[in-house]
Amino acid sequence: MQIAEGVQLVTFAILSILLVGAALGVVLFANIVYSAFLLGGVFISMAGIYILLNADFVSAAQILVYVGAVNVLILFAIMLVNKREDFKPLKNGWIRQGSTAVVCGGLFALLSAVSIVTPWSISTVSPLASSVVPIAKHFFTDFLLPFELASILLLMSMVGAIILARRDFLPDNLGATSTQDSLTLPERPRELAGK
Amino acid sequence: MLQLQYFLILAAALFCIGIYGLITSRNAVRVLMSIELMLNAVNLNLMGFSNYIDPAEIKGQVFTIFVIAIAAAEAAVGLAIVLAIYRNRDTVDMEQFNLLKW
């Protein structure tokens, strides 16, 4: 890393404040569209922290995959399920929120104490100039099988997501649809189970 | 000088915020967002250890890329499930998804 250490510290402080603030906003905002855009802020500041950790390739992949794909997917899902509804307040809902806050605070204290107390064996090797070539070597030598399995997993999840999100297929109407354009899928809106 | 502990504490804070959102939020899409927050916290842990303990063979970064790929697949399937439940129940309230409740 070519940046001076003071600059690194200030950058880390700014990025971590942005990260924690945006994450709290994701959880606490009432409007879910604000939450989705703040989630993009979380992902971008996380990419900045990855650059501080000498990981240029992973930082670029973070922006491409999370901001470009996952965040846009979440925005589309919000758009598809946009129903303005006021949730009925739960009986004794504050007990759940309070106890969850206590447990999360305790977990945070525990994890911080462990990470401060443990004597980590910090390596003194200077970090690599670019991480792209070593990552590619790992992918095509010792991590080849997981790499190929990840591609199969992505294909399976894509097919599964399409099957799950598609509306019902209408089999009894199949013969009549031959006049229809062959590229459109015959489907009908599903009845609501609760009605 | 940046220490490994700073990154670990930041990851712990992010993970705890994710757990809080996972348990307390009522909107199903916000639950998926909290899961993404927790996955990012785990990624930050992996990257920190990769940079400070194993800087010669950056296996933590390879793991992080696998986690990113699986998180993308999880987001796609999770949002499809949310969409299917919304069509079925006409709500996104987590408290009304009680089909399998005792």
Side-chain angles (χ1 to χ4, degrees):
Chain A
M1 177 71 62
Q2 306 290 328
I3 311 174
E5 286 178 0
V7 181
Q8 281 190 39
L9 201 60
V10 172
T11 315
F12 177 77
I14 293 172
L15 282 175
S16 54
I17 289 170
L18 273 178
L19 186 70
V20 174
L24 283 174
V26 168
V27 172
L28 297 178
F29 259 119
N31 192 341
I32 196 164
V33 182
Y34 294 166
S35 297
F37 281 108
L38 279 175
L39 191 68
V42 170
F43 292 152
I44 289 174
S45 38
M46 189 67 97
I49 289 177
Y50 288 169
I51 289 179
L52 278 181
L53 285 168
N54 305 304
D56 43 3
F57 179 75
V58 182
S59 169
Q62 167 92 7
I63 288 187
L64 281 177
V65 175
Y66 271 114
V67 183
V70 173
N71 206 6
V72 172
L73 196 65
I74 285 175
L75 280 172
F76 266 99
I78 290 171
M79 191 181 75
L80 286 173
V81 297
N82 65 343
K83 190 178 176 197
R84 298 265 168 215
E85 56 180 327
D86 298 323
F87 298 129
K88 271 181 285 181
L90 288 178
K91 216 182 344 173
N92 294 330
W94 60 273
I95 294 181
R96 175 196 297 197
Q97 299 208 350
S99 56
T100 310
V102 168
V103 168
C104 288
L107 186 63
F108 173 64
L110 179 69
L111 288 174
S112 315
V114 166
S115 61
I116 288 172
V117 167
T118 310
W120 303 108
S121 58
I122 304 289
S123 167
T124 52
V125 181
S126 65
L128 305 159
S130 168
S131 64
V132 178
V133 176
I135 287 177
K137 278 181 184 159
H138 278 304
F139 272 155
F140 288 100
T141 53
D142 47 352
F143 286 100
L144 182 61
L145 182 64
F147 184 64
E148 301 293 342
L149 281 179
S151 60
I152 295 177
L153 175 86
L154 283 175
L155 178 68
M156 279 162 48
S157 72
M158 187 179 75
V159 174
I162 292 172
I163 296 283
L164 280 175
R166 201 165 67 85
R167 286 199 206 95
D168 247 349
F169 187 63
L170 198 60
D172 51 339
N173 210 6
L174 203 58
T177 55
S178 56
T179 58
Q180 217 176 336
D181 185 9
S182 60
L183 287 177
T184 58
L185 284 171
E187 57 184 19
R188 65 166 176 214
R190 187 177 297 179
E191 302 96 23
L192 298 172
K195 299 289 169 68
Chain B
M1 182 61 190
L2 286 178
Q3 303 283 325
L4 172 61
Q5 283 87 346
Y6 300 167
F7 293 98
L8 295 186
I9 290 173
L10 184 62
L14 198 60
F15 191 78
C16 293
I17 293 172
I19 289 181
Y20 181 78
L22 185 71
I23 296 177
T24 58
S25 51
R26 304 280 298 272
N27 196 326
V29 182
R30 200 189 296 265
V31 171
L32 285 171
M33 289 194 220
S34 305
I35 293 175
E36 296 294 331
L37 285 183
M38 290 165 65
L39 284 167
N40 266 287
V42 172
N43 278 347
L44 184 55
N45 253 344
L46 286 173
M47 299 288 288
F49 284 127
S50 158
N51 188 41
Y52 282 95
I53 294 185
D54 182 27
E57 285 189 59
I58 38 175
K59 286 191 178 166
Q61 299 193 15
V62 179
F63 270 73
T64 303
I65 292 172
F66 284 129
V67 172
I68 287 176
I70 291 171
E74 176 264 343
V77 175
L79 290 171
I81 290 174
V82 167
L83 207 57
I85 294 178
Y86 173 71
R87 291 224 187 91
N88 203 345
R89 309 285 286 178
D90 198 28
T91 179
V92 284
D93 187 2
M94 293 297 284
E95 295 302 319
Q96 295 184 32
F97 298 159
N98 51 6
L99 282 166
L100 292 180
K101 211 171 183 176
W102 184 286

